[in-house]
Amino acid sequence: MSTTLAAGASLELSTVQQIFVIALCALTAFISHMALAVFNDGVRPFLLDFIQGRSKRSSVTAVSFGLSAGFIFGLGAPMALSTGVLNPWLLFLPTDILGLLAPKKWLAPILGGAWGALVVFGLNGANSVAHDLPVDFLTAMQQMSTPILFLFTLFPVLAITKQFGRMWGGIAGLVEVVLVVATMKLWPNMFAGALAMAVGVLLLIGLAVAKDLRRRKADRAAGVTEPVIEGEDPMASLFSASAARLRKYLPLFMVLGAGVCVLAQMHVFGGGEASSFLIAKGQYAEAAQLDFYRVFGFIPLIATTALASGAYGIAGFTLVYPIGYLMPNPFLAAVVGAAVFAVEVLLLSYIGKLLGKLPSVRDSSEHLRNAITDTLQLAILFGSLMAANAMGGGLGILIVGGLYLLNEAMNRPVVRMAAAPTAVIIGGVVLNVLYWLDLFTPLKG
C-alpha cells in the first residue's frame, strides 16, 4: 500500500463545504464563549473558576492562547497545507480562543465565522503560492505520511509495556510486526497497521480489565469493602452539578455533534495526524479505525475534566470522527452525530462512576495517550527530517534539524509536537531566499 500523497494536495472546498465550515466555526466559538465546551483538554480545568466567577475572561483567554498557539501554527496549519485536509487544531483551537476572548455573546460567532472564512478562503491561496515556489516545501512535507502512519501503529505496544511490563510489551510488539507483515502480503490494498493496532488495543484493554477483575475478586475474598463517606461527598456534588449544567444545554450539544459529524462525513477533515493522511488518500475506513482507537485514550480524560469543570469537549469523546467518515450522506451523519452527543452527555455521570471502579482501565487510558504522543513526536520529527532532505538535502537537514535542536535548547518555546513541522516551513522559506540570492540550487525530482 502506498503511503505517498499525490503532489500538490489542495484545500479546494465546494461552496456548501465552505459555508458549513464557517458556520461550524461560528458555533464552536459561541459554545466556547459560554464556557460549555473547548477543544483543548488543557484549558478545560481552568474553566471551573471562570464559570463560578473567580477568574476573568481575559485570564482564561490568555491560558487558552498560551496552550494552543503552538499547535495552531506549528501543527494544524502545516498538516492542513501538506495533506489538503482540515484538522481540529486549525479549526477548533482558534475558536476556543476567539470565543473566550469575545466580551459579548453576539460577537463570539462573528469572530469564529471570520476565522472559518480565513481558513477556507485564505489557506488554499497560501497553498497555491507555496507550491509555485522554487523549493516546494509543502510537497516535501508529504514525506511525513509514511513514518506517521507506520510508527503510530506501535502505540498500543508502548502502552502495554509501560503498564504491564517488558514481557507483555515484547509479546505485543512481536504480534504487531507479524500482523503488519501478513497484512502487507495478504491484503496489500489495506493499511498495513490496521489489524495490528486492533489486536494491540484489544490486548491492552483485556489485560487492564482482567487486572481489575482480579483485584475486585481478591478484595471480596479478603472482606475489603469500599469506604462509606459520611455526609455529602464534595467531589460527587461537584460532578453532579457539572453533569446537570451540561444536560441543561443538551439541544445545543446535539447541534454541535451533528455539525462535527457532518464535517467528518464530507471527507475534508481528519481528526488526527495519521487519519488526516489516510483521508487525503481516500482510505476512509482505515482513518475511522485509527481515530476509533484514539477514543480509548481520551474518554477518561474528557469525562473527568468535563465533570470537574462543567465544560465538555468540542468533539465530545471524538467518536463522531470515525462515525462521520463512514456515513453515506450528510443527513444521516447529522442525525447520528446528534444522537451520539446526546448519549455522551446523558451518560457522563455514569461513565465517571464506572471509571472510578476500574482503575487499571483508567490507567490504560493515560498510558495510551502518552504512547500516542511519544510515537507521533518521533514520527513527526523523523518525517520532518525526511521532508528537509527532500527539499534541500544535507543543507535542508542542517537547517530543520538545527531549528528543532535550538527549540529544545531554549526550553521549547514551540511545543515539541509542533516544533519539527514549524522548522520545515521556516527551512523552506530560508532555502527559497537562498535560491533567490543564487546561493542554493533546488534538488531535482
Side-chain angles (χ1 to χ4, degrees):
M1 183 205 73
S2 172
T3 58
T4 305
L5 303 181
S10 67
L11 280 162
E12 293 182 2
L13 278 69
S14 69
T15 302
V16 171
Q17 290 170 342
Q18 291 172 343
I19 294 172
F20 189 86
V21 170
I22 292 170
L24 184 59
C25 286
L27 174 64
T28 54
F30 177 74
I31 290 174
S32 171
H33 172 86
M34 297 179 68
L36 286 173
V38 289
F39 181 76
N40 194 318
D41 296 316
V43 174
R44 203 171 300 118
F46 292 92
L47 291 180
L48 180 61
D49 285 343
F50 175 66
I51 291 168
Q52 296 181 346
R54 295 194 297 269
S55 64
K56 296 181 179 179
R57 184 174 292 278
S58 58
S59 62
V60 180
T61 303
V63 169
S64 181
F65 181 83
L67 292 175
S68 302
F71 287 102
I72 296 169
F73 301 108
L75 186 62
M79 285 293 294
L81 287 167
S82 60
T83 62
V85 175
L86 300 173
N87 58 69
W89 307 285
L90 182 63
L91 294 184
F92 301 146
L93 288 180
T95 57
D96 279 0
I97 300 167
L98 294 171
L100 291 169
L101 175 67
K104 299 293 182 181
K105 191 178 293 187
W106 58 266
L107 183 59
I110 293 176
L111 293 176
W115 175 259
L118 179 63
V119 169
V120 298
F121 295 119
L123 209 57
N124 200 49
N127 187 303
S128 299
V129 170
H131 283 306
D132 290 338
L133 291 172
V135 180
D136 183 357
F137 54 86
L138 293 186
T139 297
M141 286 183 73
Q142 293 172 7
Q143 297 285 332
M144 295 168 62
S145 63
T146 300
I148 285 178
L149 288 173
F150 279 90
L151 286 176
F152 187 75
T153 302
L154 293 174
F155 78 87
V157 176
L158 268 65
I160 290 170
T161 305
K162 291 285 182 67
Q163 188 171 7
F164 297 104
R166 297 181 213 173
M167 186 188 76
W168 278 113
I171 292 171
L174 180 61
V175 169
E176 284 212 2
V177 170
V178 169
L179 289 173
V180 167
V181 173
T183 303
M184 295 175 74
K185 182 69 175 178
L186 301 174
W187 305 287
N189 293 324
M190 177 181 175
F191 170 53
L195 184 59
M197 278 189 290
V199 172
V201 171
L202 288 173
L203 179 58
L204 174 65
I205 294 172
L207 289 170
V209 171
K211 183 177 180 180
D212 282 332
L213 291 177
R214 287 195 302 269
R215 179 188 61 83
R216 292 175 70 86
K217 184 178 179 180
D219 287 346
R220 285 196 298 269
V224 178
T225 59
E226 294 182 2
V228 178
I229 300 175
E230 296 292 336
E232 185 180 29
D233 181 359
M235 286 305 295
S237 177
L238 174 62
F239 281 17
S240 178
S242 296
R245 178 178 189 263
L246 296 176
R247 287 197 299 269
K248 178 182 175 182
Y249 293 95
L250 185 62
L252 187 58
F253 280 115
M254 292 175 70
V255 174
L256 176 62
V260 177
C261 197
V262 170
L263 181 65
Q265 191 280 330
M266 289 177 172
H267 300 147
V268 297
F269 173 89
E273 298 89 345
S275 54
S276 290
F277 284 106
L278 290 172
I279 291 290
K281 292 184 289 155
Q283 296 179 314
Y284 309 130
E286 287 87 347
Q289 188 177 354
L290 261 65
D291 278 353
F292 178 72
Y293 299 144
R294 291 175 70 110
V295 171
F296 294 103
F298 287 91
I299 284 180
L301 172 68
I302 294 168
T304 52
T305 55
L307 289 169
S309 67
Y312 200 40
I314 287 293
F317 293 148
T318 70
L319 271 170
V320 287
Y321 294 163
I323 290 172
Y325 301 153
L326 301 177
M327 288 290 103
N329 61 69
F331 303 104
L332 184 59
V335 173
V336 174
V340 167
F341 257 51
V343 171
E344 289 180 6
V345 172
L346 292 173
L347 293 183
L348 205 51
S349 293
Y350 300 101
I351 293 171
K353 292 176 183 177
L354 179 63
L355 290 171
K357 296 178 180 179
L358 297 171
S360 295
V361 174
R362 193 171 62 245
D363 291 345
S364 293
S365 167
E366 184 174 349
H367 287 298
L368 272 177
R369 288 199 314 276
N370 292 336
I372 288 171
T373 300
D374 289 344
T375 53
L376 286 175
Q377 282 178 348
L378 176 61
I380 289 173
L381 173 59
F382 189 68
S384 296
L385 291 174
M386 290 173 64
N389 183 63
M391 68 184 186
L395 180 60
I397 292 175
L398 172 68
I399 295 171
V400 172
L403 287 172
Y404 180 86
L405 293 173
L406 181 62
N407 185 68
E408 291 287 310
M410 296 170 63
N411 294 321
R412 301 189 199 108
V414 179
V415 291
R416 182 177 280 169
M417 187 84 78
T422 302
V424 173
I425 292 178
I426 295 173
V429 172
V430 170
L431 290 174
N432 277 292
V433 171
L434 292 176
Y435 167 79
W436 289 321
L437 294 174
D438 200 22
L439 297 174
F440 171 73
T441 301
L443 301 181
K444 301 296 182 182

